[in-house]
């Protein structure tokens, strides 16, 4: 009878025959989950997302942290078989991956893996405008100028996020800055609506600029608010500047623009007030006009990188409202300049008209993007 009971006992053992040493093997449904992490190893190339996969079970959660405790966010796929980080692995980092799993039979377990990324052999940096918490005019673009060339423009542009309080339509456009560096600006389709709140999140850390550009090793962010609807209209033919606020004329000011017929002419088109620089030294040699002038100038408001300003010009008093006799700037009396300086803010558009000018302000010469049609500007996006 014992000989008959032995095989019966074996058949009633939940399908897990005893190992020779007496241990019970796990069932097929309860075998450990195989977890694979990519990338793996030491000093691996940065710039790729982290991927975790599971075979023979499911991922219930994944945590990826660097040596400083910063987490690399991501999500588990609906089938529980994989997890992918939202951001890319950054250069010069050490990552720890903790994966919580559950077998087909329901057994929970946690596994860990580590990897490191190679240091960046070259770093790219960004100078951006406007600064945080600024209140700007209705023509202010968001502008990023890069220290090194950007070959991977589409990859960089994908990491730039603009959020507005009223879903403002706009587009990025790649241009050459006056300094010769690569630059990308975001401008609305039309002037900003007053009161709009704007946030830039440039999630560039871990992005490769491409050949000769290097890696970005940090993110950038700025937030600003759009102020009153102010437009400065400059008619060089009638020698008048008009400040218009919310559709109403605030004041007309007699001015003198650039001297006709040569290099001292003013620019036309839409220029944007870049900065209020106060009292500065203006030297004509810095803008290629020889020794025409070298003087301290009050209430200076920069309009282009090439050196066009609106400012006080008492030495030209006899020409205000009568003739254009400056070296390219828009000059006015001390009293008018002091008042006007107190009214305007960076980002206000100067809409300049006149028959005898040097031409239209280029997009990279200050903030000249408004001189392109909306279609022309959209074509400058690397994602079009």
């Amino acid at each position: 009878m014992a000989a008959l009971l032995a095989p019966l006992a074996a058949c009633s053992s939940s399908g897990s025959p005893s190992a020779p040493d007496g241990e019970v093997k796990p069932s097929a449904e309860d075998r450990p989950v195989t977890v694979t992490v990519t990338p793996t190893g030491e000093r691996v190339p940065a710039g790729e997302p982290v991927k975790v996969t599971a075979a023979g079970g499911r991922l219930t959660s994944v945590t990826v942290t660097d040596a400083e405790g910063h987490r690399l966010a991501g999500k588990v796929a609906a089938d529980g078989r994989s997890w992918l980080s939202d951001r890319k692995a950054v250069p010069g980092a050490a990552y720890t991956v903790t994966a919580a799993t559950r077998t087909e039979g329901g057994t929970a377990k946690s596994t860990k893996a580590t990897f490191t990324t190679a240091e960046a052999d070259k770093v790219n940096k960004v100078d951006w405008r406007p600064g945080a918490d600024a209140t700007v005019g209705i023509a202010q673009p968001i502008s990023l100028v890069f220290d090194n060339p950007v070959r991977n423009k589409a990859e960089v542009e994908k990491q730039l996020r603009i959020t507005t309080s009223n879903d403002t339509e706009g587009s990025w456009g790649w241009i050459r800055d006056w300094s010769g560096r690569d630059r990308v600006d975001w401008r609305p389709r039309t002037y900003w609506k007053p009161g709009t709140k704007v946030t830039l999140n440039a999630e560039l850390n871990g992005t490769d600029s491409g050949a000769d550009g290097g890696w970005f090793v940090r993110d950038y962010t700025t937030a600003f608010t759009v102020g009153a609807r102010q437009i400065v209209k400059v008619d060089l033919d009638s020698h008048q500047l008009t400040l218009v606020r919310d559709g109403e004329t605030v004041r007309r000011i007699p001015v003198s623009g650039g001297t006709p017929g040569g290099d001292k002419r003013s620019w036309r088109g839409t220029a944007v007030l870049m900065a209020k620089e106060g009292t500065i030294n203006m030297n004509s040699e810095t803008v290629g006009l020889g020794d025409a002038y070298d003087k301290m100038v009050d209430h200076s408001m920069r309009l282009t990188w090439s050196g066009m300003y609106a400012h006080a010009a008492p030495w030209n008093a006899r020409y205000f409202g009568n003739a254009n006799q400056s070296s390219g700037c828009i000059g006015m009396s001390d009293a008018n300049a002091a008042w006007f300086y107190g009214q305007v803010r960076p980002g206000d558009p100067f809409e300049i008209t006149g028959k005898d000018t040097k031409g239209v302000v280029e997009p990279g010469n200050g903030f000249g993007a408004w001189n392109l049609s909306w279609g022309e500007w959209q074509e400058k996006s690397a994602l079009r």
Side-chain angles (χ1 to χ4, degrees), residues 30-360:
D30 220 28
R31 287 174 182 165
V33 180
T34 301
V35 175
T36 303
V37 177
T38 307
T40 184
E42 299 296 319
R43 298 183 58 79
V44 300
E48 296 295 334
V50 178
K51 185 174 184 179
V52 182
T53 60
R58 297 169 57 88
L59 295 166
T60 56
S61 69
V62 174
T63 303
V64 180
T65 56
D66 64 16
E68 285 75 43
H70 301 134
R71 293 184 61 173
L72 200 59
K75 57 183 71 70
V76 176
D79 64 3
R81 304 295 181 181
S82 64
W83 179 95
L84 189 68
S85 65
D86 297 332
R87 300 285 302 273
K88 300 170 183 176
V90 305
Y95 289 100
T96 298
V97 181
T98 303
T101 61
R102 191 174 298 276
T103 68
E104 301 293 352
T107 301
K109 189 177 179 181
S110 179
T111 60
K112 284 191 176 184
T114 60
F115 69 92
T116 64
T117 54
E119 296 280 349
D121 55 356
K122 190 174 187 178
V123 172
N124 206 347
K125 296 181 181 179
V126 180
D127 178 29
W128 71 97
R129 296 186 183 210
D133 301 321
T135 298
V136 302
I138 59 173
Q140 177 69 52
I142 300 157
S143 184
L144 283 70
V145 181
F146 301 92
D147 280 6
N148 301 326
V150 178
R151 313 293 185 199
N152 296 338
K153 289 182 171 62
E155 289 302 309
V156 169
E157 191 174 329
K158 287 177 185 176
Q159 303 307 120
L160 308 177
R161 312 268 192 270
I162 299 295
T163 305
T164 70
S165 59
N166 52 19
D167 297 323
T168 301
E169 181 184 6
S171 176
W172 290 102
W174 290 86
I175 57 179
R176 181 70 63 179
D177 186 63
W178 188 258
S179 65
R181 295 180 292 171
D182 283 333
R183 172 175 146 191
V184 65
D185 285 7
W186 194 96
R187 53 152 277 203
R189 181 169 186 165
T190 58
Y191 291 153
W192 293 105
K193 181 180 178 181
T196 303
K197 296 186 182 301
V198 187
T199 301
L200 162 70
N201 283 309
E203 297 180 337
L204 291 170
N205 198 359
T207 303
D208 183 9
S209 300
D212 302 322
W215 290 86
F216 295 99
V217 296
R218 58 162 290 191
D219 295 335
Y220 300 84
T221 186
T222 190
F224 60 93
T225 302
V226 180
R229 182 177 178 82
Q230 292 195 143
I231 300 174
V232 181
K233 297 181 180 292
V234 181
D235 186 337
L236 296 173
D237 294 335
S238 65
H239 321 294
Q240 296 288 323
L241 176 154
T242 305
L243 176 62
V244 180
R245 182 181 300 140
D246 298 326
E248 301 292 331
T249 296
V250 179
R251 182 182 289 193
R252 288 189 175 90
I253 296 174
V255 297
S256 180
T259 305
D263 291 339
K264 292 184 179 181
R265 291 174 294 175
S266 299
W267 295 102
R268 72 176 185 275
T270 300
V272 177
L273 180 56
M274 301 176 66
K276 296 164 67 172
E277 298 181 5
T279 300
I280 62 173
N281 176 256
M282 291 191 180
N283 187 319
S284 56
E285 293 182 353
T286 64
V287 292
L289 292 178
D291 59 356
Y293 57 87
D294 183 4
K295 60 183 66 179
M296 300 303 293
V297 179
D298 294 331
H299 309 301
S300 298
M301 295 160 273
R302 180 182 283 276
L303 299 176
T304 70
W305 283 126
S306 62
M308 185 168 76
Y309 285 78
H311 61 74
W315 55 87
N316 257 0
R318 65 185 182 277
Y319 298 118
F320 298 150
N322 301 312
N324 293 321
Q325 289 294 321
S326 80
S327 294
C329 294
I330 299 164
M332 62 197 82
S333 70
D334 279 327
N336 280 329
W339 177 86
F340 183 63
Y341 191 91
Q343 300 298 310
V344 295
R345 58 167 53 94
D348 285 345
F350 281 58
E351 298 177 350
I352 306 168
T353 59
K355 295 177 182 177
D356 195 357
T357 64
K358 286 189 285 191
V360 174

Side-chain angles (χ1 to χ4, degrees), residues 13-19 21-27:
S13 65
S14 73
S16 297
S18 297
D21 58 3
E23 294 181 358
V24 178
K25 292 183 178 180
S27 68

